[in-house]
Amino acid sequence: RIIHHRCFRKNMKIKKLIPSSLRLRYKLIKRYTEDRNKGVIFASFRVTESPFEHSISETQEIRKSEYYQNKIDNIRLGTNLIERIIITSGETFSFWRAIGNPSPEKGFKMGRNLIDGKLKADYGGGLCQLSGIIYLCALKAGLSINERYNHTVDIYTEEERFTPLGADATVVYGYKDLRVVNPYPFDIRFEFEIQDGYMSCNLLSTKPITERTIEFRRKKYLNRIVVETFSDNKYLNTSEYLI
């Protein structure tokens, strides 16, 4: 165990010597290669005349905080990119393929991000609420969740929550993505509305989708909370948070 611990610390020190830009490039190339080998078909920007007459919706408050206006601007920029994507049957929606690197060159601004368990300022701050509301809407619509990560730390009190614990989806460009698959034999897409401090996510479809009942069941331990997610009483996944 001592030898293993020393090797781990040595590897961590070596990683820190590698520039973050090179580490990111490696991760992107590795992910691209894995996706190609698996034959993943991604949803893309399309123009369609199909009538999206049915919807499943989720609304959340965008809470006031430091960088509040920047967060609004980042979310608007992200939603404008995502709304152009049509997800046909069997295709995968990838949050980061839709948005790309949230850099200042693309218009993204500084905002609050939870990095390594601590709140820090970074470009694209606030996009995790956008990915989270997409995740929750996808759960309600019964989409297949191929990739999703919860935050490592629960930073909110019950009064501060804008979404149930367990309904989050943290995203880190190149490292952590949100990916959902359309299991239906018809097209779907996401549409958003941001007004008066609230954000609504609508999953639109050309045919009706039965909305699922989503439950988040908590178990509290000494230093962590474990949340089990159920869809119509069927177990889906487990999220774990330090407190």
Side-chain angles (χ1 to χ4, degrees):
R1 288 183 179 179
I2 294 175
I3 294 174
H4 176 77
H5 183 63
R6 287 175 178 172
C7 289
F8 176 77
R9 286 192 299 176
K10 184 178 180 180
N11 289 337
M12 291 300 293
K13 289 180 180 179
I14 293 173
K15 284 183 179 180
K16 289 182 179 179
L17 294 175
I18 302 173
S20 59
S21 59
L22 290 181
R23 295 201 303 269
L24 175 59
R25 183 172 177 80
Y26 167 76
K27 287 290 185 179
L28 292 172
I29 292 173
K30 181 181 178 183
R31 184 178 280 269
Y32 171 81
T33 302
E34 291 173 349
D35 290 337
R36 186 181 59 183
N37 291 340
K38 292 177 182 177
V40 179
I41 301 174
F42 290 101
S44 59
F45 303 146
R46 291 189 179 95
V47 176
T48 179
E49 296 182 0
S50 299
F52 290 86
E53 300 175 330
H54 308 276
S55 68
I56 290 177
S57 302
E58 175 67 25
T59 299
Q60 294 176 359
E61 182 180 3
I62 303 175
R63 292 291 180 89
K64 295 280 187 178
S65 63
E66 188 180 8
Y67 301 107
Y68 174 76
Q69 189 55 52
N70 284 4
K71 179 177 181 178
I72 295 286
D73 293 342
N74 288 337
I75 289 175
R76 286 191 188 279
L77 187 54
T79 58
N80 289 339
L81 294 167
I82 292 170
E83 286 184 333
R84 299 163 56 194
I85 294 176
I86 306 297
I87 313 167
T88 64
S89 180
E91 287 188 335
T92 297
F93 165 81
S94 161
F95 187 84
W96 286 128
R97 284 182 71 94
I99 291 179
N101 190 350
S103 64
E105 291 77 18
K106 295 185 65 175
F108 287 96
K109 300 177 180 179
M110 295 291 284
R112 292 199 321 169
N113 271 336
L114 189 62
I115 303 173
D116 296 328
K118 297 180 180 179
L119 285 172
K120 299 179 182 179
D122 197 9
Y123 288 103
L127 288 178
C128 279
Q129 184 166 356
L130 177 56
S131 58
I133 199 171
I134 291 173
Y135 169 63
L136 184 51
C137 209
L139 289 179
K140 291 168 71 172
L143 305 189
S144 301
I145 311 299
N146 273 20
E147 183 176 347
R148 171 260 174 183
Y149 302 89
N150 61 275
H151 290 87
T152 55
V153 179
D154 177 24
I155 62 172
Y156 296 105
T157 64
E158 293 306 314
E159 294 75 22
E160 294 172 331
R161 293 195 196 284
F162 52 82
T163 191
L165 186 63
D168 57 319
T170 183
V171 285
V172 181
Y173 181 69
Y175 293 85
K176 295 180 179 181
D177 198 2
L178 172 67
R179 293 185 174 189
V180 301
V181 178
N182 177 9
Y184 301 110
F186 48 82
D187 294 350
I188 60 174
R189 58 184 288 261
F190 291 103
E191 185 179 77
F192 304 88
E193 183 178 357
I194 301 170
Q195 190 174 8
D196 299 328
Y198 285 85
M199 168 171 56
S200 294
C201 174
N202 305 303
L203 189 143
L204 306 179
S205 57
T206 56
K207 294 184 180 180
I209 295 175
T210 301
E211 183 171 337
R212 274 65 169 175
T213 298
I214 307 301
E215 293 181 82
F216 301 97
R217 304 176 187 174
R218 301 188 200 180
K219 296 179 181 179
K220 189 173 182 180
Y221 298 91
L222 289 176
N223 65 337
R224 61 194 173 97
I225 298 176
V226 175
V227 183
E228 294 181 332
T229 303
F230 292 81
S231 172
D232 288 344
N233 285 318
K234 180 182 178 181
Y235 170 81
L236 293 180
N237 60 49
T238 298
S239 304
E240 208 170 293
Y241 305 85
L242 294 174
I243 54 175

